[in-house]
Amino acid sequence: MSIPQAITEKITLADGREITIETGKLAKQADGSVVVRMGGTMLLATVVASKEAKDGVDFLPLTVDYREKFYAGGKIPGNFFRREARPSDQEILTMRLVDRVLRPLFPEDFHAEVQVMISLISYDGQSIPDDLAGLAASAAIAITDIPFNGPMSEARVVRIDGEYSINPSYEDLKKADLDIMVGATKDSIVMVEGEMKEISEQEMLEAIQFAHVEIKKQVEAQERLAEKVGKSLPKREYSHENHDEEIRAKVWKETYDKVYEVAKQPSSKEERGDKFKAVLEEFLAQYTDEEELAKVTPFAKVYYHDVEKEAMRQMILNEKIRLDGRAPETIRPIWSEIDYLPGAHGSAIFTRGETQSLTAVTLGSVKDANMVDSVMANYDEKFFLHYNFPPFSTGEARPLRGTSRREVGHGNLAQRALANMIPEENPYTIRIVSDILESNGSSSMATVCAGTLALMDAGIQISKPVSGIAMGLVTDVKSGKFTVLSDILGDEDHLGDMDFKVTGTADGITACQMDIKIQGLSMDIMEQALLQAKAGRLHILNKITETIAAPREDVKPHAPKMVMLEISKDFIGAVIGPGGKIIQQLQKDTDTVIAIEEIGEIGRIEISGVSREKINAAIARINEITFVPTIGETYQGKVVKVMDFGAFVSIAKGTEGLLHISEIEWKRLDKVPYNEGDLVEVKFMGYDDRKKMKLSRKVLLPKPPRPDAKPVGEAPQSSEQKPSNEA
């Protein structure tokens, strides 16, 4: 059997690099499969969609899975089982990036189960695989008959030395001051997420536009590939929803005005929900026959949801009033507090409206760093943030099933928002934990604000405070009206056309996340949203600095203190000791945590502990072990042994030399004038031929004059005055 002939399509980037999309060789039993290659990095993407929707499913059951095979980079997993296990945070974040662009592009009434699987099967150490994941997923779908309003693609945009480029190498990414992932179709931006080093709103728009130009080329390549494959048209037929137009019309006619009036009256989340529920119950109460009620209720609930959404949207557009009575640009009331948790190293409560975060900071040593083991790199992450969203925060009771993808994504956004404010010289491993206690709109942005407060409370010298805000958008295509909303509620997020989170300092944007639900959103509207977000961010920033204006001068008394030392790498073994005996005993004696890292020709020692006195004791012990005397320096030594020919003097622990009897005083001595334990000041003179230390005391004493020397100023005698030695 011969090797199948693959169908391929190429994309050439501006710098000459090529991306190849290939199909027809691997995974042919899937509905669609492609291999995307850039350099030596290869992704296999497959898609399978069920022919029919399951009974009772009224949503799109889409699963996007991304996994990095360790063999791709010639590595074996470092875990106990030595095989790929649960997805890493980075893999989960890649899944979310792809899902957020794909999901809105499927038809609203398509409810068949769809599974997209993306695998990294080769990594060359240069091309970053998640840059290609969106392209691979979309291409796999584009060549099938699965209903899909694509293709789409994603591109990572970076700016290095003022120049924009896409899909950089792993090394170039480290040099960038802007790093965003943009997902888009040929016509519309769908998703944006990334981090920046305090850039302006205009610079961010430029980066998005730059990405869209490149994405269009990738979409066109997918269209050419689909045409070559020839099975993408026509799309498969489906009927996943049943409707009753008579009931639809009745629901709209009898409930729309009532819902509009409820939306118009400012109310809390719970009160508004109760009033909306009462309107639906009043409508259903007219059906007294149980059989008829059972028939009408499922349809009525679906159509009533549409009524609620449209009524709230139109009320916002027409009245310029929001569900809680605010104007579009108004921020909800804010209060915050620091030092709430006496046991934590830093803590804060940040409350904005009905959204509340309790955030704590823990300071640790390098041993507490988060170990990242991936195909691309192995490293220790010294700053990380964990976000928890318990069900009680929204008044719900539901099972706890571990950390969700949403929690990973929200925590990562907040971490990226704050990361660039941590100074490079910070010696600590820093863990931030945000527990969301109440939620009604943008708990991730509350996490950013609470994180800033907690860091400053902990005494971490962040360069600038950071705040965050979530923006929304409501548009009407027919009338051309639109309203940009600042600090959106949960309901406004659900009913709106855009969810846009942006964080930053007073000087610029540090991170963003944008999801756009409509096609053809103009850059003018996006710019207005960004500028309105800036005003909101600065308002929130002022509220933060009212609570604490700058970081504490020092960490709290019960927080660990940290000292860094550098020694010659030749002494690393001496400090550690055989089997770690010396360093373990030192940690026990001084109640400290000591970590040693070899960097080039030096050993970097990190000492952490609560007591500065004990840290200083550990430093003194290490200095003793690593002591190297300097020729010509004077030391206070202790006599450890007395011999006929001199005394052995210890000038540091484990460092002793001979003070020869001839080097004690300028005059001749018949006996060494010391006893063991005596203190003596000596000068280190170097080493003898046998590499033994030579010490001297007499060189520190005034040298006596020679017996035949004349006093200074006295003239020498003439020859006539000399006494005669003649007989």
Side-chain angles (χ1 to χ4, degrees), residues 299-312:
F299 291 113
K301 287 182 177 179
V302 171
Y303 304 142
Y304 184 68
H305 175 270
D306 297 338
V307 169
E308 280 186 341
K309 183 175 180 179
E310 185 60 20
M312 289 188 284

Side-chain angles (χ1 to χ4, degrees), residues 538-549:
L538 296 178
H539 169 79
I540 296 169
L541 201 57
N542 288 334
K543 292 293 183 181
I544 288 174
T545 53
E546 286 175 9
T547 301
I548 180 170

Side-chain angles (χ1 to χ4, degrees), residues 433-450:
V433 178
S434 172
D435 288 319
I436 303 303
L437 307 185
E438 295 181 49
S439 180
N440 184 14
S442 193
S443 53
S444 62
M445 296 298 94
T447 294
V448 172
C449 298

Side-chain angles (χ1 to χ4, degrees), residues 30-338:
D31 287 341
S33 71
V34 299
V35 172
V36 173
R37 177 170 185 160
M38 183 172 176
T41 295
M42 300 169 66
L43 296 177
L44 168 65
T46 63
V47 61
V48 176
S50 299
K51 301 299 181 184
E52 299 294 337
K54 293 180 180 178
D55 291 340
V57 174
D58 59 356
F59 61 95
L60 174 65
L62 169 67
T63 301
V64 176
D65 190 84
Y66 171 82
R67 302 298 175 102
E68 296 181 348
K69 307 295 185 181
F70 272 74
Y71 65 69
K75 298 172 66 176
I76 295 174
N79 58 37
F80 179 79
F81 297 103
R82 293 294 188 266
R83 69 174 295 166
E84 291 83 0
R86 66 173 298 276
S88 67
D89 282 0
Q90 186 56 49
E91 287 170 322
I92 289 172
L93 293 169
T94 303
M95 296 176 200
R96 281 175 52 84
L97 286 173
V98 177
D99 186 300
R100 285 163 47 203
V101 186
L102 287 182
R103 191 173 294 274
L105 298 179
F106 286 92
E108 289 186 3
D109 59 350
F110 184 72
H111 305 317
E113 186 167 359
V114 181
Q115 187 177 55
V116 177
M117 298 187 68
I118 311 160
S119 300
L120 173 65
I121 57 176
S122 178
Y123 176 58
D124 63 3
Q126 291 294 317
S127 302
I128 303 173
D130 53 347
D131 296 357
L132 307 172
L135 168 63
S138 176
I141 300 171
I143 62 174
T144 72
D145 65 347
I146 299 171
F148 182 59
N149 299 320
M152 70 81 179
S153 191
E154 295 178 338
R156 169 176 262 118
V157 179
V158 297
R159 188 175 66 178
I160 302 171
D161 298 329
E163 296 292 327
Y164 293 108
S165 61
I166 70 162
N167 298 0
S169 69
Y170 188 68
E171 290 302 315
D172 283 343
L173 181 61
K174 298 175 184 177
K175 307 172 188 174
D177 65 353
L178 176 148
D179 168 19
I180 63 172
M181 190 75 82
V182 180
T185 64
K186 187 184 289 187
D187 303 318
S188 302
I189 303 294
V190 181
M191 184 278 302
V192 179
E193 180 161 335
E195 63 180 290
M196 312 87 182
K197 294 181 179 178
E198 298 180 279
I199 68 166
S200 69
E201 285 70 17
Q202 188 57 44
E203 288 171 314
M204 183 172 164
L205 288 173
E206 289 174 2
I208 294 172
Q209 289 174 308
F210 180 86
H212 198 195
V213 171
E214 298 299 321
I215 286 171
K216 288 177 182 178
K217 300 174 186 176
Q218 298 180 16
V219 169
E220 289 167 357
Q222 293 176 64
E223 291 172 339
R224 293 193 300 269
L225 181 69
E227 188 175 343
K228 290 179 181 179
V229 173
K231 63 177 185 179
S232 62
L233 293 174
K235 296 298 183 183
R236 69 177 66 167
E237 294 183 1
Y238 65 95
S239 179
H240 297 163
E241 292 184 357
N242 295 317
H243 290 285
D244 188 313
E245 296 303 324
E246 184 179 340
I247 297 175
R248 189 202 300 267
K250 189 175 179 67
V251 170
W252 276 81
K253 181 179 179 182
E254 296 183 14
T255 64
Y256 181 86
D257 290 341
K258 296 176 183 178
V259 171
Y260 191 97
E261 286 303 314
V262 170
K264 194 174 177 180
Q265 301 301 317
S267 57
S268 67
K269 176 183 175 182
E270 186 176 355
E271 180 187 358
R272 186 165 57 252
D274 290 342
K275 288 181 178 180
F276 283 150
K277 184 178 179 181
V279 173
L280 177 61
E281 290 175 348
E282 181 186 354
F283 173 82
L284 293 174
Q286 63 185 288
Y287 298 97
T288 55
D289 181 74
E290 289 188 8
E291 188 174 327
E292 186 180 17
L293 179 62
K295 175 190 173 184
V296 170
T297 299
F299 291 113
K301 287 182 177 179
V302 171
Y303 304 142
Y304 184 68
H305 175 270
D306 297 338
V307 169
E308 280 186 341
K309 183 175 180 179
E310 185 60 20
M312 289 188 284
R313 288 170 58 87
Q314 290 301 323
M315 188 276 296
I316 292 170
L317 288 168
N318 297 333
E319 313 291 341
K320 299 298 181 183
I321 298 174
R322 299 165 64 179
L323 300 175
D324 57 359
R326 286 182 290 151
E329 67 281 354
T330 302
I331 312 299
R332 288 173 288 176
I334 293 171
W335 68 266
S336 58
E337 180 181 348
I338 58 169

Side-chain angles (χ1 to χ4, degrees), residues 481-553:
K481 294 179 181 178
F482 72 92
T483 301
V484 177
L485 307 176
S486 297
D487 181 24
I488 55 175
L489 304 170
D491 285 341
E492 291 170 339
D493 183 7
H494 174 67
L495 64 86
D497 299 318
M498 179 180 73
D499 173 21
F500 178 30
K501 301 179 180 74
V502 59
T503 71
T505 67
D507 297 321
I509 299 171
T510 60
C512 74
Q513 184 184 90
M514 183 188 302
D515 291 289
I516 301 170
K517 307 168 192 175
I518 57 171
Q519 294 187 356
L521 181 66
S522 72
M523 285 292 168
D524 290 340
I525 295 177
M526 206 177 294
E527 182 177 14
Q528 179 174 328
L530 276 166
L531 294 175
Q532 192 167 314
K534 181 180 180 180
R537 275 195 298 110
L538 296 178
H539 169 79
I540 296 169
L541 201 57
N542 288 334
K543 292 293 183 181
I544 288 174
T545 53
E546 286 175 9
T547 301
I548 180 170
R552 295 182 186 273
E553 292 185 2

Side-chain angles (χ1 to χ4, degrees), residues 313-605:
R313 288 170 58 87
Q314 290 301 323
M315 188 276 296
I316 292 170
L317 288 168
N318 297 333
E319 313 291 341
K320 299 298 181 183
I321 298 174
R322 299 165 64 179
L323 300 175
D324 57 359
R326 286 182 290 151
E329 67 281 354
T330 302
I331 312 299
R332 288 173 288 176
I334 293 171
W335 68 266
S336 58
E337 180 181 348
I338 58 169
D339 202 19
Y340 182 74
L341 304 174
H345 298 153
S347 63
I349 304 171
F350 180 84
T351 306
R352 186 190 60 244
E354 296 172 294
T355 297
Q356 184 177 75
S357 169
L358 172 63
T359 294
V361 167
T362 306
L363 307 180
S365 71
V366 69
K367 291 185 176 181
D368 299 306
N370 183 30
M371 292 180 288
V372 177
D373 179 24
S374 71
V375 177
M376 289 196 294
N378 287 27
Y379 60 92
D380 290 335
E381 189 176 41
K382 291 189 66 179
F383 174 70
F384 49 99
L385 186 151
H386 293 147
Y387 164 100
N388 300 314
F389 192 82
F392 67 76
S393 65
T394 54
E396 298 175 276
R398 52 181 165 79
L400 300 174
R401 304 190 187 279
T403 306
S404 68
R405 290 186 180 187
R406 179 182 179 277
E407 287 172 311
V408 172
H410 279 42
N412 178 70
L413 176 62
Q415 178 176 323
R416 297 178 83 179
L418 295 168
N420 285 320
M421 297 301 110
I422 306 296
E424 289 185 10
E425 62 272 16
N426 164 63
Y428 292 102
T429 291
I430 302 173
R431 181 188 184 223
I432 301 178
V433 178
S434 172
D435 288 319
I436 303 303
L437 307 185
E438 295 181 49
S439 180
N440 184 14
S442 193
S443 53
S444 62
M445 296 298 94
T447 294
V448 172
C449 298
T452 292
L453 289 164
L455 284 168
M456 292 198 287
D457 180 52
I460 298 299
Q461 303 302 308
I462 59 173
S463 51
K464 297 171 189 175
V466 181
S467 64
I469 189 170
M471 306 295 293
L473 175 70
V474 179
T475 62
D476 184 75
V477 176
K478 294 178 182 177
S479 65
K481 294 179 181 178
F482 72 92
T483 301
V484 177
L485 307 176
S486 297
D487 181 24
I488 55 175
L489 304 170
D491 285 341
E492 291 170 339
D493 183 7
H494 174 67
L495 64 86
D497 299 318
M498 179 180 73
D499 173 21
F500 178 30
K501 301 179 180 74
V502 59
T503 71
T505 67
D507 297 321
I509 299 171
T510 60
C512 74
Q513 184 184 90
M514 183 188 302
D515 291 289
I516 301 170
K517 307 168 192 175
I518 57 171
Q519 294 187 356
L521 181 66
S522 72
M523 285 292 168
D524 290 340
I525 295 177
M526 206 177 294
E527 182 177 14
Q528 179 174 328
L530 276 166
L531 294 175
Q532 192 167 314
K534 181 180 180 180
R537 275 195 298 110
L538 296 178
H539 169 79
I540 296 169
L541 201 57
N542 288 334
K543 292 293 183 181
I544 288 174
T545 53
E546 286 175 9
T547 301
I548 180 170
R552 295 182 186 273
E553 292 185 2
D554 197 3
V555 297
K556 295 182 180 180
H558 64 284
K561 285 72 180 174
M562 196 80 71
V563 173
M564 305 290 286
L565 300 178
E566 289 187 357
I567 63 173
S568 169
K569 75 172 185 178
D570 298 334
F571 284 105
I572 292 177
V575 174
I576 294 174
K581 183 178 179 180
I582 292 177
I583 194 170
Q584 289 172 11
Q585 188 63 45
L586 181 55
Q587 291 178 106
K588 183 179 179 181
D589 293 344
T590 60
D591 196 22
T592 59
V593 176
I594 302 173
I596 303 179
E597 181 183 11
E598 183 177 329
I599 304 174
E601 294 299 311
I602 66 168
R604 181 169 293 167
I605 301 179

